């Protein structure tokens, strides 16, 4: 599978979720980093893009966020376990011409896990994310790095050029490696300095 083969994302991902396919589970190391960089929710608004079966969405609710899980196919959120707390799901494609019909537009936190490599128009995606973040908001992105994967799986990771695009135009950038994954905390409208750590 390559990203170019996904011509119809809702149908493609819907078939995989319906067939029982599951993806890299959320780990304690990731959730610890997320808590370190974003802090408790305290009722603030969060958006989980590409929420899948809602594992990260539910975790954000556990942290105290009022969270919306967004996915292009209704199949994945339908698999989500019930959770106590302010969680809702929205079926829409973040890359559609029209913005997704979200209940609010000023999110304190936006997350995207294992998604960025599959975004076809990455500049437009990042512009949309920035438009949805509130003042001082954080974009939390987790992705495999292509150069740390076997060649046959490199298409599910991002390249160094993708990384340059991802990390430009943010006030502060924090990056930490967890094996083949890299976790980014990108904060808008903050200090001018850019710091990265954990690269190797």
């Amino acid at each position: 599978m390559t990203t170019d083969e996904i011509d119809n994302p809702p149908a493609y991902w819907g078939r995989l979720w319906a067939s029982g396919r599951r993806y890299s589970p959320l780990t304690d190391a990731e959730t610890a980093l997320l808590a370190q960089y974003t802090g408790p929710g305290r009722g603030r608004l969060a958006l989980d893009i590409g929420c899948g079966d809602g594992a990260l969405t539910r975790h954000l609710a556990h942290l105290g966020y009022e969270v919306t899980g967004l996915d292009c196919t209704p199949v994945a959120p339908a698999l989500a376990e019930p959770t106590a707390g302010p969680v809702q799901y929205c079926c829409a494609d973040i890359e559609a011409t029209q913005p997704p019909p979200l209940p609010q537009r000023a999110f304190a936190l936006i997350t995207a896990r294992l998604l960025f490599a599959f975004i076809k128009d990455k500049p437009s995606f990042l512009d949309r994310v920035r438009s949805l973040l509130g003042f001082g908001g954080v974009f939390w992105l987790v992705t495999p790095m292509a150069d740390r994967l076997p060649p046959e799986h490199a298409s599910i990771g991002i390249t160094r050029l993708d990384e340059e695009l991802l990390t430009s135009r943010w006030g502060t950038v924090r990056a930490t490696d967890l094996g083949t994954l890299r976790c980014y905390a990108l904060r808008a409208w903050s200090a001018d300095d850019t710091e990265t750590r954990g690269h190797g």
Side-chain angles (χ1 to χ4, degrees):
M1 183 271 296
T2 67
T3 56
D4 291 336
E5 293 172 344
I6 308 176
D7 295 325
N8 186 334
Y12 178 86
W13 295 111
R15 285 194 302 270
L16 290 179
W17 281 105
S19 72
R21 178 74 63 87
R22 298 296 180 268
Y23 302 92
S24 299
L26 194 63
T27 66
D28 290 343
E30 281 184 60
T31 57
L33 280 174
L34 177 63
Q36 174 186 336
Y37 287 130
T38 63
R42 297 190 297 272
R44 294 180 298 161
L45 303 178
L47 174 66
D48 182 20
I49 301 175
C51 66
D53 63 357
L56 180 54
T57 311
R58 293 191 299 276
H59 179 73
L60 294 175
H62 178 72
L63 292 178
Y65 287 93
E66 184 177 331
V67 58
T68 298
L70 178 71
D71 205 279
C72 67
T73 172
V75 177
L79 301 172
E81 300 172 5
T83 185
V87 175
Q88 58 183 314
Y89 292 99
C90 176
C91 181
D93 186 350
I94 191 65
E95 291 200 87
T97 302
Q98 295 298 318
L102 297 169
Q104 60 275 318
R105 296 183 58 83
F107 293 94
L109 173 64
I110 296 179
T111 61
R113 186 174 185 272
L114 311 181
L115 172 75
F116 194 56
F118 299 98
I119 296 294
K120 291 189 176 295
D121 187 346
K122 291 177 173 60
S124 294
F125 169 77
L126 293 170
D127 285 342
R128 180 157 290 176
V129 167
R130 279 186 281 261
S131 75
L132 291 168
L133 274 174
F135 183 82
V138 175
F139 181 34
W140 174 258
L141 185 139
V142 178
T143 181
M145 303 303 293
D147 59 4
R148 298 187 177 188
L149 296 169
E152 64 271 20
H153 297 306
S155 64
I156 69 171
I158 67 169
T159 66
R160 298 292 176 174
L161 288 177
D162 292 334
E163 183 180 43
E164 289 181 12
L165 173 65
L166 170 65
T167 56
S168 65
R169 296 173 56 196
W170 296 94
T172 55
V173 176
R174 304 288 188 267
T176 304
D177 288 336
L178 296 174
T180 61
L181 297 180
R182 183 162 288 167
C183 303
Y184 297 90
L186 309 167
R187 188 180 298 273
W189 305 294
S190 185
D192 291 334
D193 61 308
T194 299
E195 175 187 340
T196 60
R197 71 179 181 84
H199 290 201

